[in-house]
Amino acid sequence: MLKHLYIKNFTLIDTLDIELYPGFSVITGETGAGKSIILGAIGLLLGQRADSKTIKQGADKCIIEAHFDLSRYDMQPFFTENDIEYDTEDCIIRRELTATGKSRAFVNDTPVQLAMLKELGERLVDIHSQHQNLLLNKQDFQLNVVDILANDSNELDAYRQIYSDYRKAGQQLAQLREDIERNRQNADFLQFQYQELTAANLHEGELEELEQKSDTMTHSEDIKSALYTADNALQGEDTGVIRSLRSSISALSSISGVFPDAKELAERMDSAYIELKDISAEISCHLESIDFDPAELDKINNRLDKLYDLQKKYRAERIEDLIAIRDELHLKLNNIENSDQALEALQQKVETLRADVEKRAGILTKQRSKAASLIEKDMQKRLAALGMPNVRFSIAIDKEEPGSSGQDKVSFLFSANTSTPLQPVSQVASGGEIARVMLSLKAMISGAVKLPTIIFDEIDTGVSGKMAEKMAEIMQEMGSHDRQVISITHLPQIAALGSTHYKVSKKETAQGTTTGMTMLTADERVREIAQMLSGSDVSEAAIQNARELLKIRK
């Protein structure tokens, strides 16, 4: 329940700081006094988009803050889930806007995103404005009303899960059919590519190995010349390093008895001798193996050209990439061969899920049909009490292709008298009749959904007199069940039934026009309702009529 509202620097409001109370309250005021401004401020608290133009001219910042009593509503799970401090008796929501366009939102002093603020707002306050009457044109609104009163949220959630699986499987089936058709059209080309890559007899690392062989054979003369020079330096008869090293080792060994250090030197030189002998043997081996063979070189280069062509054709950087492409082609060809089995399996899955969807949808239809019957009877009684004794209200539920909410198309049908056939309510009901239909629906919904605060913004459009009083009684009754109902109205019959009465007024000051809202005393209420009855010139008769409406006499 909304128990306190504070607004500062919002459009024409300098400062508004007011207490609100449970039950049925009314807000009155002349047209243009600023009632819509207050509603706009509350809308921002509920997560509506902000516009820096709404900040009062000359101010740097606008603040809107509301305090809610949540003690009668089980809302702790929301606060726990979003890691927000939970205070059952004083939940504080604050919205701040700056002239630079920045917007910040807080719940119990915890900064929150706008989406979270909107989610919380939808659980705290329902603002019913005149444009909401247009919802009667929309099938999803009518279906939602039936679902709320059918209390079928668990069944609807279960249906939507099955329907989501069915949709995904259907999309997979369509994609598979498309892929199969495309692959079959390209089957010959895919087969050609696969055979070409298979015939190439590709091996990992082959390209690098062939490139090395080609380089070696192309420069074989230079390589042999260098190897020969190195071999001669090591093994030459006159200048060979190995022969000289062997002589040096013998010389050092001969003096090791009289010069002990010579032994270690001889051992070190012997290690070098062994290593050089091994190197010399490898050089000799290479000299024998390296030979220029034009035929072999042509064979290697032809193979390299083949591999380069394949890399260019298939846009592959490595032989390993070509191998991967070959294997992928093989998989595609296998899939084409086995596509009928895969298609049949997926089609069977879709059909099974379709049957589950229809079964779940049937459960929803039964619950909706049962609820629709009760809604029809209740609406007949409510509308008859609102001055339509011959009214007929019916809910048509027609079967259609399954969608995200089932397979039911819901239509509210209406006739104000017995001689006119039932037709969609939005097409045949007058403005006043639609207002009464929407109020009756809201009253039914409020009984099924624990919503702390409901604000009606001129729902009385198109009605007057006794019917206005009946509508006020409905709102009064709605406000008597742990709920707060606030009605913005121009009708004295409705204003008189409020347990608390607020007036919105506009005044001119040295700083410009300002809007404010005050709670009226008993005497002020009499004068306000008298003014609503007779206009600006309040007569004694109007005051007496106002007292009659308020059921007080002096």
Side-chain angles (χ1 to χ4, degrees):
M1 183 195 80
L2 177 60
K3 62 179 186 177
H4 189 92
L5 181 64
Y6 174 80
I7 304 172
K8 186 173 181 62
N9 296 330
F10 183 72
T11 63
L12 298 180
I13 297 174
D14 285 327
T15 302
L16 187 153
D17 194 358
I18 197 160
E19 301 288 332
L20 294 109
Y21 298 93
F24 177 44
S25 302
V26 294
I27 299 175
T28 61
E30 295 180 3
T31 301
K35 298 184 291 297
S36 61
I37 294 174
I38 295 169
L39 271 185
I42 294 174
L44 287 179
L45 282 176
L46 304 181
Q48 292 180 5
R49 291 285 176 185
D51 186 345
S52 60
K53 294 178 183 178
T54 58
I55 298 176
K56 187 172 178 62
Q57 189 172 6
D60 295 326
K61 184 167 72 170
C62 158
I63 299 174
I64 305 166
E65 183 175 285
H67 294 242
F68 290 86
D69 182 352
L70 307 180
S71 57
R72 294 183 178 89
Y73 306 93
D74 183 21
M75 298 189 67
Q76 184 166 358
F78 174 87
F79 289 82
T80 302
E81 181 182 341
N82 292 290
D83 196 24
I84 300 172
E85 182 183 350
Y86 182 55
D87 188 332
T88 58
E89 296 183 355
D90 192 25
C91 173
I92 305 171
I93 297 179
R94 187 170 77 256
R95 189 87 182 269
E96 298 179 359
L97 312 177
T98 66
T100 58
K102 292 183 179 179
S103 169
R104 297 193 301 168
F106 303 86
V107 176
N108 292 336
D109 289 328
T110 300
V112 298
Q113 296 294 322
L114 200 59
M116 186 183 298
L117 186 66
K118 187 173 183 180
E119 184 181 351
L120 177 60
E122 288 173 350
R123 302 185 183 200
L124 295 175
V125 181
D126 174 30
I127 298 179
H128 181 93
S129 58
Q130 291 183 56
H131 78 271
Q132 275 198 313
N133 290 341
L134 298 175
L135 290 173
L136 282 175
N137 290 321
K138 300 184 180 297
Q139 183 199 344
D140 55 352
F141 169 75
Q142 298 177 35
L143 178 61
N144 189 45
V145 168
V146 173
D147 280 334
I148 289 173
L149 296 171
N151 193 25
D152 61 7
S153 59
N154 291 336
E155 289 76 13
L156 188 56
D157 288 344
Y159 168 83
R160 283 175 171 159
Q161 182 58 59
I162 293 292
Y163 179 74
S164 175
D165 294 341
Y166 166 67
R167 287 266 298 172
K168 288 177 183 175
Q171 290 167 357
Q172 290 170 356
L173 180 60
Q175 186 62 52
L176 180 60
R177 283 174 174 155
E178 184 180 327
D179 291 345
I180 288 171
E181 180 61 26
R182 183 174 58 253
N183 288 339
R184 280 178 176 165
Q185 291 175 356
N186 296 333
D188 290 342
F189 180 60
L190 295 176
Q191 185 66 41
F192 167 77
Q193 290 183 314
Y194 174 67
Q195 289 176 348
E196 181 178 45
L197 291 174
T198 301
N201 196 24
L202 302 169
H203 302 288
E204 291 185 9
E206 179 186 11
L207 187 65
E208 293 79 5
E209 183 182 343
L210 289 173
E211 285 175 338
Q212 182 59 58
K213 285 183 178 180
S214 176
D215 285 344
T216 299
M217 194 168 289
T218 301
H219 300 89
S220 60
E221 290 300 322
D222 295 334
I223 294 170
K224 289 188 77 169
S225 175
L227 289 173
Y228 180 80
T229 300
D231 184 60
N232 190 53
L234 292 173
Q235 292 280 25
E237 289 187 9
D238 298 326
T239 59
V241 172
I242 292 175
R243 184 185 294 266
S244 298
L245 190 58
R246 182 71 265 173
S247 298
S248 299
I249 293 169
S250 296
L252 288 172
S253 296
S254 67
I255 63 171
S256 60
V258 292
F259 184 60
D261 289 346
K263 181 179 180 182
E264 182 185 351
L265 292 171
E267 289 173 352
R268 289 169 63 189
M269 291 182 72
D270 191 53
S271 295
Y273 172 78
I274 294 170
E275 179 66 17
L276 288 174
K277 283 281 286 180
D278 188 54
I279 292 171
S280 177
E282 281 196 39
I283 290 174
S284 297
C285 235
H286 285 309
L287 276 168
E288 292 178 6
S289 65
I290 293 175
D291 192 17
F292 178 70
D293 185 347
E296 181 65 19
L297 182 59
D298 285 344
K299 183 179 177 181
I300 290 172
N301 287 336
N302 287 337
R303 178 63 176 171
L304 284 171
D305 289 342
K306 175 67 176 177
L307 295 177
Y308 292 149
D309 287 344
L310 288 173
Q311 283 182 303
K312 183 178 180 181
K313 181 176 181 178
Y314 291 94
R315 297 179 181 178
E317 293 184 1
R318 305 174 305 150
I319 295 296
E320 288 74 14
D321 296 331
L322 287 173
I323 292 172
I325 293 170
R326 179 198 65 195
D327 294 342
E328 185 180 350
L329 288 167
H330 186 246
L331 181 61
K332 285 184 177 180
L333 290 168
N334 280 340
N335 288 340
I336 292 173
E337 291 179 6
N338 301 321
S339 58
D340 289 340
Q341 295 93 315
L343 190 64
E344 184 179 350
L346 189 51
Q347 196 156 358
Q348 182 60 47
K349 180 181 178 182
V350 170
E351 290 173 1
T352 300
L353 286 170
R354 170 76 184 208
D356 290 342
V357 164
E358 291 179 349
K359 181 180 177 181
R360 289 282 180 182
I363 295 172
L364 279 174
T365 300
K366 285 181 181 179
Q367 287 194 253
R368 288 166 175 168
S369 297
K370 184 177 179 180
S373 178
L374 297 175
I375 295 169
E376 289 171 349
K377 292 176 183 178
D378 201 343
M379 287 292 288
Q380 294 274 147
K381 292 177 183 177
R382 290 177 183 273
L383 292 173
L386 288 172
M388 292 186 277
N390 298 317
V391 70
R392 286 180 295 153
F393 185 89
S394 178
I395 300 177
I397 300 179
D398 299 314
K399 188 174 181 179
E400 61 181 5
E401 186 65 17
S404 60
S405 297
Q407 59 182 10
D408 301 318
K409 178 182 179 181
V410 171
S411 301
F412 288 173
L413 305 178
F414 174 87
S415 174
N417 51 68
T418 55
S419 60
T420 305
L422 286 165
Q423 295 183 58
V425 61
S426 61
Q427 297 178 15
V428 296
S430 66
E433 289 167 344
I434 284 179
R436 283 176 272 179
V437 169
M438 285 299 290
L439 178 60
S440 298
L441 288 172
K442 285 280 184 175
M444 293 175 67
I445 291 171
S446 69
V449 179
K450 271 198 161 187
L451 194 65
T453 300
I454 301 174
I455 301 175
F456 290 106
D457 181 17
E458 299 184 4
I459 195 173
D460 49 40
T461 300
V463 297
S464 59
K466 192 67 176 176
M467 289 312 102
E469 186 177 341
K470 291 288 186 183
M471 292 179 72
E473 288 173 354
I474 291 175
M475 288 185 275
Q476 189 180 51
E477 193 272 336
M478 290 170 64
S480 65
H481 299 290
D482 293 334
R483 192 177 296 108
Q484 179 184 48
V485 177
I486 300 171
S487 176
I488 297 173
T489 182
H490 287 293
L491 297 180
Q493 294 86 352
I494 292 179
L497 285 188
S499 56
T500 310
H501 190 153
Y502 302 90
K503 181 176 180 178
V504 176
S505 58
K506 186 187 295 184
K507 64 180 180 179
E508 298 295 332
T509 68
Q511 290 74 35
T513 305
T514 63
T515 288
M517 184 170 84
T518 57
M519 187 172 73
L520 301 182
T521 65
D523 289 340
E524 288 170 338
R525 283 194 79 180
V526 172
R527 186 162 187 84
E528 172 68 8
I529 291 174
Q531 191 170 3
M532 294 173 74
L533 286 165
S534 64
S536 56
D537 296 327
V538 179
S539 64
E540 185 59 37
I543 290 176
Q544 186 61 33
N545 286 338
R547 287 174 177 160
E548 287 291 333
L549 285 174
L550 288 164
K551 295 182 172 56
I552 60 172
R553 301 177 190 275
K554 286 189 176 180

